Amino acid sequence: MNLRQSIQQSKRPFLIAGPCSAENEEQVHKVVHDLAIETDIQLIRAGIWKPRTRPDSFEGLGDIALPWLVEAGKINGLPVTVEVANKTHVEEALNAGVDVLWIGARTTVNPFAVQEIADSLQGVDIPVMIKNPVNPDLELWIGAFERLEKAGITDLVALHRGFSFYNHPKYRNVPHWEIPIALKERLGNLPLICDPSHISGRRDLLEEVSQKAMDLNFDGLMIETHPNPDAALSDAQQQITPQQLKNLLEHLVVRESNAKHDVVDQLNEYREQIAVLDGRLFDLFAARMKISAQLGEFKRDHNITIFQREHWENMIRMRLEDVQEHGLTRQFVRRVMDEIHQESIRQQTRVMNPKRD
Ligand code: PEP
Ligand code: MN
């Protein structure tokens, strides 16, 4: 298939859905059938080889699951896509008749692995979707596109699945929307698909993230769906049923953006980027204050006073060192640090003396 063309010709969102992992033949057939009935699905996804964070998790069934997926796609007249992370995966997926390949975030991050995939695709005509690397590194993501382009693959699509962040209070993978937008600017004419499932990590956030992607003019969505999400062998908390997906799509507001280069659109784009960054600032403040409260508990248990002047002066000195590099004024940095300090003392006092607030 020609994926870019299908995306460009489709109404938004171009929909990719299917289970995190193919688990058994019946599950694959059921979910593909139900998706075809309930939604305007255009491409079926399923994980065959799963990159898991910890060993002893379900690592996918491997190549035995490929024919189930391809067959389910054929029965419902739908193309299918799987994640590939090495040469063997590519060969097995191509032999089975998979229509589109995707490179996962944990593979994009590794140029050796991307190069191995690119080499095994020399002379093959197949669309490839490339997820962002796990870390927010635009150049690394661009590098993966370049490796595939050099191997002759031209039908390329970007998938934004968020970036890894230690202990984030809201997202499993934080969406840095400005990065896929910059990628599109750099590579030109590149379809952008958002993967709200891996950004959210939980069902109740899927709609909000999908709406955000539509508001930022993403072309499509890739959402994990399972006939019985709670019993899924991987990513159970973020999967939804095809019926729930239908419901989510019905709630989406999709605005058309034909006046893309208008002044107003440009202005909104800047505002949008600022709103996204402000949101991240407050997520960081929240994470920072949580640690302040933990510090308060520690000081309480060890009979240490809250305020230690010398330590605080050091903290301010450290921040002032970066003033020039950040292009900020000393006055601004001092004011922000003062506010942070006040709030931090308030958080610590609260745990020391819970009755007073
Ligand atoms: C997946 O799509 O199931 C997956 C493993 O995602 P990611 O590469 O984004 O972690
Ligand atoms: Mn998954």
Side-chain angles (χ1 to χ4, degrees), residues 86-97:
N86 60 38
K87 181 169 174 273
T88 314
H89 296 167
V90 170
E91 284 166 5
E92 290 178 354
L94 294 178
N95 283 340

Side-chain angles (χ1 to χ4, degrees), residues 20 45 50-51 83 102 104-106 131 161 195 198 222 224:
C20 177
R45 63 148 282 154
K50 300 301 300 176
E83 173 176 353
W102 96 76
R106 296 148 205 255
K131 284 201 177 191
R161 52 77 84 187
D195 171 349
H198 291 89
M222 172 153 119
E224 287 186 342

Side-chain angles (χ1 to χ4, degrees), residues 13 79 94 105 126 130 142 219 241 344:
L94 294 178
I126 191 163
I130 307 181
I142 291 177
D219 301 282
T241 62
S344 177

Side-chain angles (χ1 to χ4, degrees), residues 47-238:
I48 301 293
W49 303 278
K50 300 301 300 176
R52 304 308 302 280
T53 302
R54 306 281 300 272
D56 303 328
S57 310
F58 176 65
E59 294 191 319
L61 294 175
D63 63 328
I64 56 157
L66 284 169
W68 309 334
L69 182 66
V70 173
E71 179 67 13
K74 286 220 172 84
I75 292 173
N76 294 280
L78 289 164
V80 299
T81 180
V82 303
E83 173 176 353
V84 291
N86 60 38
K87 181 169 174 273
T88 314
H89 296 167
V90 170
E91 284 166 5
E92 290 178 354
L94 294 178
N95 283 340
V98 167
D99 305 278
V100 175
L101 304 177
W102 96 76
I103 298 180
R106 296 148 205 255
T107 305
T108 311
V109 81
N110 179 355
F112 286 136
V114 175
Q115 193 57 50
E116 181 180 319
I117 293 170
D119 291 343
S120 60
L121 284 173
Q122 276 287 349
V124 181
D125 181 17
I126 191 163
V128 180
M129 305 189 288
I130 307 181
K131 284 201 177 191
N132 61 260
V134 281
N135 55 324
D137 185 338
L138 174 61
E139 297 305 319
L140 195 55
W141 201 1
I142 291 177
F145 278 91
E146 288 170 344
R147 287 176 198 280
L148 285 149
E149 267 164 13
K150 279 174 184 284
I153 303 291
T154 51
D155 195 358
L156 292 166
V157 169
L159 278 171
H160 178 39
R161 52 77 84 187
F163 298 90
S164 180
F165 190 101
Y166 179 62
N167 220 357
H168 195 275
K170 182 168 178 183
Y171 298 107
R172 178 176 176 195
N173 292 292
V174 184
H176 292 220
W177 300 103
E178 69 280 13
I179 296 182
I181 291 168
L183 179 79
K184 191 174 172 122
E185 265 163 32
R186 287 274 294 274
L187 298 187
N189 198 28
L190 174 75
L192 292 183
I193 307 279
C194 177
D195 171 349
S197 303
H198 291 89
I199 289 176
S200 307
R202 42 182 245 235
R203 279 165 219 151
D204 63 339
L205 260 188
L206 290 174
E207 194 170 317
E208 177 187 317
V209 174
S210 304
Q211 184 62 55
K212 184 85 184 177
M214 286 300 99
D215 293 345
L216 292 175
N217 205 20
F218 272 61
D219 301 282
L221 298 171
M222 172 153 119
I223 299 186
E224 287 186 342
T225 29
H226 191 285
N228 181 6
D230 285 331
L233 298 181
S234 59
D235 289 349
Q237 286 138 308
Q238 71 195 30

